[in-house]
Amino acid sequence: MVRMDRELYSGLIRLHILYHACQEPIFGLGIIDELARHGYKLSAGTLYPILHGLERTGYLRSAVRRSGRQSRREYRATPMGRKALTAAKEKVRELFGELFEEG
Ligand SMILES: [Zn+2]
């Protein structure tokens, strides 16, 4: 992603991550695939600082989950994250209406 585009889309990417973390526990590689599906190509080096930032803000909380020899860090939305998503949805709705309202 070009630098300017990344700035433009950074909020959308965060909302996207938050949305999925409200649905189910997410992990780094899974969310990279999910975002790629939507046309956002993020490297792990870009994604992890975003996840850490969301966790530091208090929107996500993470824990290492082990299955057999494998372990991965899973992120879930906190109550504060859910509240933030609900508020953001209103703002997205408003922007959406403006972007797509007819002539
Ligand atoms: Zn998605």
Side-chain angles (χ1 to χ4, degrees):
M1 220 180 289
V2 213
R3 194 168 180 279
M4 277 302 289
D5 289 352
R6 200 153 52 199
E7 278 179 24
L8 204 49
Y9 297 139
S10 67
L12 292 178
I13 290 168
R14 283 170 174 77
L15 284 177
H16 213 108
I17 294 170
L18 190 55
Y19 165 74
H20 283 289
C22 285
Q23 303 299 306
E24 61 198 351
I26 58 168
F27 60 100
L29 291 177
I31 208 74
I32 284 176
D33 286 349
E34 167 63 19
L35 288 169
R37 208 167 63 78
H38 290 289
Y40 302 108
K41 305 251 180 286
L42 269 75
S43 65
T46 304
L47 179 76
Y48 282 103
I50 294 176
L51 288 174
H52 297 157
L54 290 170
E55 188 172 21
R56 215 169 25 241
T57 310
Y59 293 158
L60 301 181
R61 142 172 65 78
S62 76
V64 175
R65 163 133 332 161
R66 236 170 277 283
S67 68
R69 285 162 170 264
Q70 305 237 331
S71 69
R72 67 186 187 189
R73 185 166 289 275
E74 286 186 343
Y75 295 81
R76 294 163 188 266
T78 61
M80 184 182 161
R82 290 176 189 280
K83 231 186 241 174
L85 180 66
T86 303
K89 271 162 102 168
E90 274 313 305
K91 300 204 182 296
V92 169
R93 196 201 304 278
E94 199 175 315
L95 175 62
F96 190 90
E98 197 161 67
L99 289 174
F100 295 99
E101 80 191 0
E102 301 296 326

